[in-house]
Amino acid sequence: MSVVTSLSIHVVTNPIPKLPHHAIQSTDFLGFVPKGKLINATLACRFPVRVQVGVVQLFGLHRRKLKLKSLAFSVPNENDQAELCDSRTCTGDEIFVPFENDESLKDPDGEIVSSVLCSEADLSRTVEHLGNEGSVVEKLKAVYLHVLASEQWNASRLKLCHRSYLVSATNLIHYLALRCLDIWQLKEDLTLVGLMNLENINSHVLPSLNASIRLLENLKSNSLNPKDCSSAGIFTQKRLDQQKDGKFAIQTMRKKASSNSEFLLGCLRDDRTTHIMVTVGQEATVNETFIADLIKAGTSIIRINCARGNPSIWSEIIKRVKESSQMLEKPCRILMDLAGPKLRTGKLKPGPSVIKISPKKSASGNVVFPAQVWLSHKEAGPPTHLSPDVALFIDDQQFLSELEIGDTLRFSDARGKKRVLRISRKLHVFSGTGCVAECTRTAYVQSGTKLQLKEKKRRSPLGQVVDVPATEPFIRLTVGDLLVISRGSSSEPHGLPMSMSGTHKITCSSGYLFDSVKPGEPIAFDDGKIWGVIQGTSIYEIVVSITHASPKGSKLGSDKSINIPESNIRFEGLTSKDLMDLEFVAAHADMVGVSFVRDIRDIVLLRRELEKRKLQNLGIILKIETKSGFENLPLMLLEAMKSSNPLGVMIARGDLAVECGWERLADMQEEILSLCGAAHIPVIWATQVLESLVKSGMPTRAEITDAAHGRSVSCVMLNKGKHIVKAVSTLDSILHSKSAERKVEVKPILLSSL
């Protein structure tokens, strides 16, 4: 049965040059209306439109079924500029079908309403015919006009952007306009004629469309009668030539992306293309050469997490970064991440200050490799090229200087067991002397343990172990366990990890958690290593049943992340701690990382705080680690572009995967890269890059492939670990090896002579 639908639309006529008909739609079909043909359109207008004589709109066929869709279009005015003017808003049941020579549209000053009736079957056949008749170039012109229209619709938003970001913000609008069209058939058509891939033009949308249209029209003009190409000439000469040498040229926009990256992250040295960022903590204050070794290996940015440490530790790290950078004559910038409103487990009561020395043993219990123990003064950690199992600090530098290779040190461990250390290497470090010793039996060493040098004739001298750190406390959770989370202070350690009934307990200082969750909702801990389901809630406690953990039990310690992906939680943009830390960041760092940004309100609040402190040059890194942050990224970028501050985005893959699902991470990562590429905003790729290499010294094959993909971003971040210097060197080699060296040598096929 045919469904008759009528449409009436306001049409304002203007005396303008005769232009070819172009079609734009946002469904699965993109069609073109040949000159002089009947034009049919289905519209579900959600915005005011004005149509001028000689310019046509198009409408779509969704999988062979006629559907009402939103229509995006733009028309040239007498100045050959895209224009959208307010008229009346169309309803979802209206269809506009004008003829080019319709007598009712010839009044240049009047507003004429045209109504036409047609059946769904007739409209479907017409749309299919138009698709078959339409050429690739006309479809590209339709897309081009749609992109320009989107720019006009967002003109007021673009006017608010800082002049340094205006071109980039405009290109982002162009890209978003292109993405709202379902142009799979056009992509196929372009592939068949050997032209561009619309998936790869995000950083220069308008000039790429421009170039393709010009090329196709040049080919068309060589194959058709010049009279048939007159309208095409108008489009090419007037509209497209405006973009040829202007600010939207492809080369200009590529340079803009490069300059934005350099503005935020600094200049790259030695023909490198990607920055390497490393997270450091208190360990950087122990080893005098640690920062210098990182910079030598290829690090160009040091990251400090304000969620850990304190201003005295941060100041010492920054001091060493600046000294090492100046000494090596290699620039190194500093990023400080604000902690943000992240949910974390509370502090557990520290364990005993004991460190375990364990030699490597075979399956039968025989020692196959002795434990490597570093001995030095507390101000000199082990050199970065060494990877000892344990580091012990001795209070007497003279005692260390008198040790020789082959000497034996005797001591009693924390259990009263007699143990020995044999000196195998002696090294000179900045603060004196350091030694490597071997231990063939398991030992537990605590602060105050006395080391006695055994000599042939007498026993002397004595050295004492100091500053043994407390063991990290944790609770071990297995599937089926109950975990009670209670309100508690983040600064006061709690020593009740397990109640008398066997239920594990931990605290969380954030009231957001207790105000947001409901029974039945999932909850994750430690970046998704442990999952559970909420069984019950109150204003003081939450009871969780553990549903996913390691078969042998997973450790949950202090300051570990808590994620509630399905709960309706609303964080404040900047916490009181963030505002205090921002004062320190402003005085010492080059960039500030803003954690858990969710929408433009967070950006507005941040901009106000920066303006209040007159921090126009402080770099801003938006950390995308929630579902709402991902969905609102385009709007947040445009909001951030209102200030002159250097801008970047970090893909925090750890929290993002937990919040949105592991299976979606790869697609979301590519989407963020595309959006930031369109906005010419540098991207930092973070979380678990070469993690096995950093922690164990040996990478996995998948990690190497993942790291190589980092060539597509501006910066790759590594987290701290035992083998971090080696990991930086490896990553630098992967990212920056010469193109000739990257190519896999393949022998050519030799054709045999017949």
Side-chain angles (χ1 to χ4, degrees), residues 1-8 40-44 66-68 91-97 114-124:
M1 180 180 67
S2 296
V3 179
V4 177
T5 310
S6 67
L7 171 147
S8 62
N40 299 288
T42 60
L43 293 169
L66 191 65
K67 288 193 175 182
L68 299 177
T91 67
D93 296 326
E94 296 178 328
I95 300 174
F96 175 43
V97 190
S114 174
S115 299
V116 180
L117 297 179
C118 63
S119 69
E120 185 183 60
D122 292 339
L123 185 56
S124 178

Side-chain angles (χ1 to χ4, degrees), residues 183-192 196-199:
I183 49 178
W184 63 269
Q185 185 58 57
L186 179 56
K187 295 176 185 177
E188 182 68 19
D189 293 341
L190 289 171
T191 302
L192 292 177
M196 66 178 181
N197 182 352
L198 291 178
E199 298 289 344

Side-chain angles (χ1 to χ4, degrees), residues 357-547:
I357 302 175
S358 299
K360 305 296 186 295
K361 296 182 179 181
S362 65
S364 58
N366 297 320
V367 175
V368 295
F369 195 78
Q372 304 295 299
V373 181
W374 171 258
L375 303 175
S376 70
H377 193 262
K378 60 182 179 180
E379 294 180 357
T384 52
H385 67 276
L386 295 179
S387 299
D389 299 299
V390 172
L392 297 179
F393 300 114
I394 312 301
D395 64 344
D396 190 350
Q397 180 62 54
Q398 183 178 355
F399 170 79
L400 292 168
S401 63
E402 293 179 1
L403 295 178
E404 299 294 339
I405 296 176
D407 284 348
T408 299
L409 299 176
R410 295 182 178 274
F411 66 96
S412 296
D413 74 353
R415 303 167 300 171
K417 303 289 186 180
K418 302 296 183 181
R419 296 292 184 261
V420 297
L421 296 172
R422 290 183 174 86
I423 306 300
S424 61
R425 297 179 64 181
K426 188 173 181 179
L427 301 170
H428 294 285
V429 292
F430 284 111
S431 297
T433 302
C435 298
V436 177
E438 295 181 347
C439 184
T440 57
R441 301 182 68 183
T442 301
Y444 293 83
V445 180
Q446 58 188 351
S447 295
T449 298
K450 292 181 171 56
L451 303 179
Q452 189 171 43
L453 176 62
K454 180 183 178 182
E455 296 184 339
K456 293 181 179 180
K457 296 182 180 180
R458 58 189 180 89
R459 291 184 174 183
S460 64
L462 289 175
Q464 183 170 296
V465 177
V466 296
D467 295 341
V468 174
T471 56
E472 183 179 352
F474 64 86
I475 56 178
R476 189 178 296 273
L477 298 171
T478 58
V479 174
D481 286 350
L482 288 180
L483 174 66
V484 176
I485 309 173
S486 59
R487 287 181 183 262
S489 171
S490 60
S491 59
E492 296 180 1
H494 295 265
L496 298 173
M498 181 176 289
S499 66
M500 296 299 293
S501 61
T503 301
H504 299 279
K505 289 188 176 182
I506 203 164
T507 62
C508 178
S509 61
S510 175
Y512 292 115
L513 176 66
F514 301 88
D515 298 337
S516 304
V517 296
K518 299 177 182 177
E521 293 178 339
I523 185 169
F525 303 92
D526 197 5
D527 290 335
K529 294 182 178 66
I530 303 169
W531 282 84
V533 175
I534 295 172
Q535 299 295 323
T537 64
S538 72
I539 60 174
Y540 299 108
E541 286 187 337
I542 298 172
V543 179
V544 178
S545 175
I546 302 302
T547 58

Side-chain angles (χ1 to χ4, degrees), residues 6-12 41-51 57 68-73 84-97 112-114:
S6 67
L7 171 147
S8 62
I9 184 170
H10 245 81
V11 177
V12 181
T42 60
L43 293 169
C45 298
R46 298 184 181 90
F47 45 82
V49 299
R50 187 174 88 171
V51 181
Q57 316 155 37
L68 299 177
K69 293 290 181 179
S70 297
L71 180 66
F73 73 97
L84 263 185
C85 300
D86 289 340
S87 182
R88 297 181 184 177
T89 302
C90 305
T91 67
D93 296 326
E94 296 178 328
I95 300 174
F96 175 43
V97 190
I112 308 298
V113 175
S114 174

Side-chain angles (χ1 to χ4, degrees), residues 340-351:
K342 186 170 184 175
L343 301 175
R344 294 184 181 273
T345 59
K347 294 185 180 299
L348 295 172
K349 186 177 181 180

Side-chain angles (χ1 to χ4, degrees), residues 55-75:
V55 179
V56 203
Q57 316 155 37
L58 252 180
F59 21 125
L61 194 64
H62 182 73
R63 295 191 179 95
R64 300 291 178 182
K65 294 182 180 180
L66 191 65
K67 288 193 175 182
L68 299 177
K69 293 290 181 179
S70 297
L71 180 66
F73 73 97
S74 175
V75 297

Side-chain angles (χ1 to χ4, degrees), residues 329-342:
E329 297 183 346
K330 293 182 177 181
C332 185
R333 294 199 173 185
I334 297 168
L335 164 67
M336 296 190 71
D337 270 4
L338 300 179
K342 186 170 184 175

